[in-house]
Amino acid sequence: MSFVAAIVGLALLVLIHEAGHFFAAKGVGMRPRKFYLGFGTPLVKTVRGGVEYGIGALPLGGYVKIPGMHRPVAADLRNSLSPNRAEALDDQLTIFEAAVDTGNEERARELLAELAPELGRERMYQELEGSLAPDAYWRQSTWKRVVVIAAGPAVNVVIALVLFASVFMSGSVVATRKVESVVPNHPAAKAGLRAGDVVTQVDGKAVTPETIAPTINATGGRLFTIVVERDGKRVTLGPLAALRTEGVYRVGFQIAGAAGPGDSLPTSIGESFRVIGTVTTDTVSALGGIATGKDTRNVSSVVGMTRVASSAYRRSTADFLFILGLISLALGLLNLLPVLPLDGGHIVMSLLEKVRGRGFSQLAYMRFSAVGLSLFVFLMYLGLRNDLFNAGG
């Protein structure tokens, strides 16, 4: 059940991302042609209002097909055909190409429609049909294109904010002095500490839930004792010495949390923005580390995200929603990377076209996309390596 919940949760996040593009495109006058969850051969599909909705066989994301992402190139249709088919349609293709080259787009649309019986199912035919459409993406003003592309990541960030705030409002976790778990073969376990013990003193000092860890760290590795309440009795454990791990002295146990009151709406929103800011900063830092060959063990794939979401679902609804919020935020942030075919790459290309005063060729888009796809494949390799072979940190 937890695995199914994780898959459904991730699918919903992708669906929300694509819905952002979809409704933004409709809002600025670009009617999307397709709206799919998943890729590959359609398992189910239907057409409503001129838009094809469907579910693809490969559940790896989704897409919205917006017409005319690139300017029409006259020879693309001919080049996509076999030599025999191109020769058989040579007269019609030549007239069509002349109309495109001279900018007579109305005539080009008419000529393309005449080729529909022969080529209507061809992918390049459909691409050119979108490129020649009056609502084609490449025709729109820069602000419209940026709005449509940025809407996907923006919706993911908003959803993350809503999920975080919901968790904060539903209830907080208050630290206690009760031991939840003890790490085997660590100093606390060897000293006899047990789950359920209530820590009252560390190194001769009375402690609160907030001061237990700092007091242990302050021992600096020297011998000390821990006093606990167990079954109504006072028990002294030790002496034991803390081990230095990642710059902090620990003895190997975890304090239990108790349910506390939920935060107010303003406080929850403020805390949510704080989480978003922290995660964004950490993500940028991690990407910088990957670029320099560091932090590659922290990359995760959809396999790892599903595993984490599934584990969170088994713990509690709040943990599950918080993890989904983190994944939604990551989806939004990573899509803003300035490389094609990610959303950030399209935004960069739109802004560059505005600055240079003319559009890039489809070939330029393809070359830029090759860089982005190489990066995507590299990150997927790192993620799968970490998730499948437990190389992650």
Side-chain angles (χ1 to χ4, degrees):
M1 180 62 185
S2 60
F3 181 77
V4 173
I7 292 293
V8 171
L10 293 176
L12 284 175
L13 292 181
V14 172
L15 184 65
I16 289 169
H17 177 94
E18 298 303 331
H21 293 311
F22 181 83
F23 289 108
K26 293 190 70 174
V28 299
M30 288 181 252
R31 177 174 59 83
R33 302 305 193 257
K34 293 183 179 181
F35 187 177
Y36 266 74
L37 182 61
F39 294 94
T41 304
L43 298 178
V44 293
K45 65 178 181 179
T46 184
V47 178
R48 294 184 179 179
V51 181
E52 181 178 310
Y53 301 89
I55 299 177
L58 299 176
L60 300 173
Y63 68 96
V64 169
K65 184 175 180 59
I66 297 172
M69 295 296 291
H70 309 292
R71 293 171 180 270
V73 177
D76 280 351
L77 185 56
R78 182 189 296 272
N79 293 337
S80 69
L81 303 176
S82 66
N84 289 338
R85 293 189 74 190
E87 184 177 355
L89 298 170
D90 181 67
D91 292 341
Q92 289 175 280
L93 289 172
T94 299
I95 299 172
F96 167 73
E97 290 165 357
V100 174
D101 288 335
T102 58
N104 189 349
E105 293 177 359
E106 183 176 352
R107 177 57 177 160
R109 284 194 292 271
E110 294 174 356
L111 293 167
L112 189 65
E114 293 175 5
L115 288 166
E118 289 285 340
L119 305 177
R121 293 181 179 273
E122 297 288 337
R123 180 177 177 181
M124 186 53 67
Y125 177 95
Q126 296 170 7
E127 291 290 335
L128 281 168
E129 189 177 41
S131 296
L132 290 168
D135 60 345
Y137 173 87
W138 67 269
R139 299 177 187 275
Q140 310 303 314
S141 58
T142 301
W143 75 265
K144 287 185 178 182
R145 285 184 283 167
V146 170
V147 164
V148 169
I149 298 302
V155 169
N156 278 125
V157 174
V158 170
I159 291 300
L161 178 67
V162 171
L163 290 174
F164 293 153
S166 298
V167 172
F168 290 132
M169 290 177 66
S170 66
S172 58
V173 177
V174 179
T176 68
R177 293 183 300 167
K178 185 176 181 179
V179 177
E180 181 175 54
S181 62
V182 181
V183 181
N185 301 318
H186 279 61
K190 293 177 180 179
L193 188 68
R194 303 174 187 173
D197 288 347
V198 177
V199 180
T200 59
Q201 291 185 18
V202 173
D203 195 23
K205 303 178 181 67
V207 291
T208 65
E210 292 75 22
T211 62
I212 292 175
T215 305
I216 292 174
N217 184 52
T219 62
R222 59 178 171 79
L223 292 173
F224 67 99
T225 59
I226 296 177
V227 179
V228 302
E229 288 182 4
R230 179 184 296 168
D231 299 327
K233 298 178 181 179
R234 187 174 183 270
V235 180
T236 300
L237 305 174
L240 69 162
L243 299 176
R244 185 179 175 86
T245 307
E246 297 179 352
V248 179
Y249 286 94
R250 301 184 174 98
V251 294
F253 69 93
Q254 184 174 350
I255 290 296
D263 295 326
S264 65
L265 178 60
T267 300
S268 297
I269 292 176
E271 285 295 303
S272 299
F273 274 115
R274 182 185 63 79
V275 172
I276 289 174
T278 300
V279 173
T280 300
T281 301
D282 290 346
T283 299
V284 172
S285 176
L287 289 172
I290 292 171
T292 57
K294 302 176 182 178
D295 297 329
T296 59
R297 295 182 181 274
N298 294 327
V299 180
S300 187
S301 69
V302 67
V303 174
M305 288 188 286
T306 303
R307 184 183 299 152
V308 170
S310 177
S311 176
Y313 181 83
R314 288 194 296 269
R315 290 195 301 270
S316 70
T317 300
D319 283 351
F320 180 60
L321 293 179
F322 197 84
I323 290 297
L324 285 184
L326 290 175
I327 295 174
S328 182
L329 180 57
L331 184 61
L333 294 175
L334 293 178
N335 262 283
L336 288 175
L337 287 175
V339 291
L340 288 173
L342 298 179
D343 296 332
H346 284 289
I347 292 173
V348 168
M349 295 297 274
S350 294
L351 295 176
L352 289 176
E353 288 176 345
K354 177 67 173 178
V355 171
R356 74 198 297 257
R358 65 184 188 279
F360 289 100
S361 66
Q362 188 169 355
L363 181 60
Y365 271 87
M366 292 175 64
R367 288 174 175 171
F368 193 15
S369 293
V371 176
L373 288 172
S374 299
L375 175 62
F376 178 77
V377 170
F378 175 65
L379 291 176
M380 180 179 289
Y381 158 74
L382 291 178
L384 288 173
R385 181 201 66 178
N386 295 338
D387 296 332
L388 297 179
F389 301 103
N390 297 316

